[in-house]
Amino acid sequence: MSATHNESIPNQEGDNQNWYSSWFDTPYYHILYKDRNYREAQVFMDNLTHYLNLPEKAKVLDLACGKGRHSIYLNQLGFDVLGADLSENSIAEASKNSNETLHFKVHDMREPFEEKFDAIFNLFTSFGYFENDDDNLTTLKAIKESLSNYGFAVIDFMNVTNVIETLVPEEVKTVDEIDFHIKRYVEDGHIFKEIDFEDQGRKYHFTEKVKALTLKDFQDLMDEAGIFLLDIFGDYKLKKFHKTESERLIMIFK
């Protein structure tokens, strides 16, 4: 799951159904993933916005924006950007970069926006976290409702088939002198990542969990939501999707 973005549940204080709201709010989440390839992400956004032929000053929603790094880059490309995320800590951090055409807000992606957008981006596997599978359909409907008449939406998800075939069961990743002990496995239609580490004498345990949604799963959900799937790509250079070899599942729809 190294190619994915936000897959995450803490069991530290007992079971918490909204695991993502806790793990994403910890500083350790950002420490563990600090080495992500942001240049690759920028190339992806260059390619995406060019492919979509977005007009100058188009209204763009970065849905599940985290600390807003990609929202900031999209804004630098000349777009009017709103970054939205469930994590209050992340939005507080992102908001330090706000300007007249760059704003951030705490928002649950299951809820549609009153304003309409020319493009909605849900990037780096920021989908499929919910305990209730119905929430995935609810989220797709909310995205559709938040698009303008001529707007496009993009979901960039991991290619589950490739991820499962190349899953590394166990590894230790050391970042900022913290040894993160990571275990990965597939269970009940989800991909899990157990993360154990110790810092300043305290032990931590988090479990990332994401629904193993295939292209067929997304197609079924989109059919039910009345969404039209326009195109599918397999990597950030927008190459053709291959079921087993592609690292990503990038879907353009409206």
Side-chain angles (χ1 to χ4, degrees), residues 150-253:
Y150 302 101
F152 297 95
V154 180
I155 289 180
D156 160 39
F157 201 68
M158 61 179 165
N159 177 15
V160 165
T161 306
N162 177 268
V163 166
I164 291 173
E165 284 185 2
T166 59
L167 206 65
V168 178
E170 291 191 35
E171 69 172 315
V172 178
K173 187 176 177 185
T174 304
V175 189
D176 291 357
E177 299 183 353
I178 299 173
D179 295 329
F180 293 93
H181 297 261
I182 299 169
K183 292 182 180 178
R184 300 178 180 86
Y185 56 93
V186 182
E187 188 177 284
D188 296 332
H190 290 79
I191 296 172
F192 287 81
K193 186 192 288 185
E194 303 272 356
I195 303 163
D196 289 278
F197 58 94
E198 191 171 325
D199 186 40
Q200 297 178 355
R202 185 176 179 187
K203 291 184 177 180
Y204 294 87
H205 173 80
F206 292 96
T207 308
E208 299 187 350
K209 174 184 173 183
V210 66
K211 180 82 170 172
L213 293 164
T214 63
L215 174 57
K216 175 68 165 60
D217 293 327
F218 273 107
Q219 287 171 324
D220 290 345
L221 284 167
M222 289 179 179
D223 283 346
E224 195 171 344
I227 283 169
F228 185 58
L229 183 56
L230 300 167
D231 222 336
I232 308 160
F233 299 109
D235 67 15
Y236 293 143
K237 294 178 181 176
L238 304 189
K239 291 181 182 173
K240 187 177 178 182
F241 177 75
H242 187 283
K243 184 178 179 181
T244 55
E245 294 174 15
S246 294
E247 288 190 356
R248 310 302 301 169
L249 170 59
I250 299 164
M251 296 161 286
I252 317 283
F253 60 93

Side-chain angles (χ1 to χ4, degrees), residues 43-230:
V43 168
F44 177 36
M45 282 176 278
D46 288 340
N47 292 334
L48 255 189
T49 53
H50 181 74
Y51 169 82
L52 294 174
N53 196 22
L54 291 178
E56 194 177 352
K57 299 180 181 177
K59 292 188 69 173
V60 176
L61 171 63
D62 182 10
L63 192 60
C65 68
K67 288 189 175 181
R69 190 184 293 244
H70 310 304
S71 300
I72 293 165
Y73 184 68
L74 287 163
N75 183 240
Q76 290 169 351
L77 292 178
F79 302 116
D80 185 345
V81 180
L82 174 65
D85 199 280
L86 194 64
S87 167
E88 293 185 11
N89 289 355
S90 292
I91 291 298
E93 188 66 30
S95 294
K96 296 175 183 176
N97 301 285
S98 297
N99 61 47
E100 285 185 3
T101 55
L102 176 62
H103 301 92
F104 296 94
K105 71 180 292 185
V106 176
H107 183 86
D108 188 319
M109 65 168 65
R110 290 168 288 193
E111 300 290 332
F113 286 80
E114 286 185 21
E115 55 193 303
K116 306 296 181 190
F117 297 91
D118 300 306
I120 297 177
F121 294 157
N122 179 250
L123 305 174
F124 309 108
T125 309
S126 302
F127 193 94
Y129 300 156
F130 303 112
E131 286 298 314
N132 185 345
D133 286 346
D134 291 343
D135 287 337
N136 294 319
L137 179 61
T138 301
T139 300
L140 283 175
K141 288 179 176 177
I143 290 173
K144 182 190 176 192
E145 285 180 41
S146 303
L147 282 173
S148 67
N149 289 337
Y150 302 101
F152 297 95
V154 180
I155 289 180
D156 160 39
F157 201 68
M158 61 179 165
N159 177 15
V160 165
T161 306
N162 177 268
V163 166
I164 291 173
E165 284 185 2
T166 59
L167 206 65
V168 178
E170 291 191 35
E171 69 172 315
V172 178
K173 187 176 177 185
T174 304
V175 189
D176 291 357
E177 299 183 353
I178 299 173
D179 295 329
F180 293 93
H181 297 261
I182 299 169
K183 292 182 180 178
R184 300 178 180 86
Y185 56 93
V186 182
E187 188 177 284
D188 296 332
H190 290 79
I191 296 172
F192 287 81
K193 186 192 288 185
E194 303 272 356
I195 303 163
D196 289 278
F197 58 94
E198 191 171 325
D199 186 40
Q200 297 178 355
R202 185 176 179 187
K203 291 184 177 180
Y204 294 87
H205 173 80
F206 292 96
T207 308
E208 299 187 350
K209 174 184 173 183
V210 66
K211 180 82 170 172
L213 293 164
T214 63
L215 174 57
K216 175 68 165 60
D217 293 327
F218 273 107
Q219 287 171 324
D220 290 345
L221 284 167
M222 289 179 179
D223 283 346
E224 195 171 344
I227 283 169
F228 185 58
L229 183 56
L230 300 167

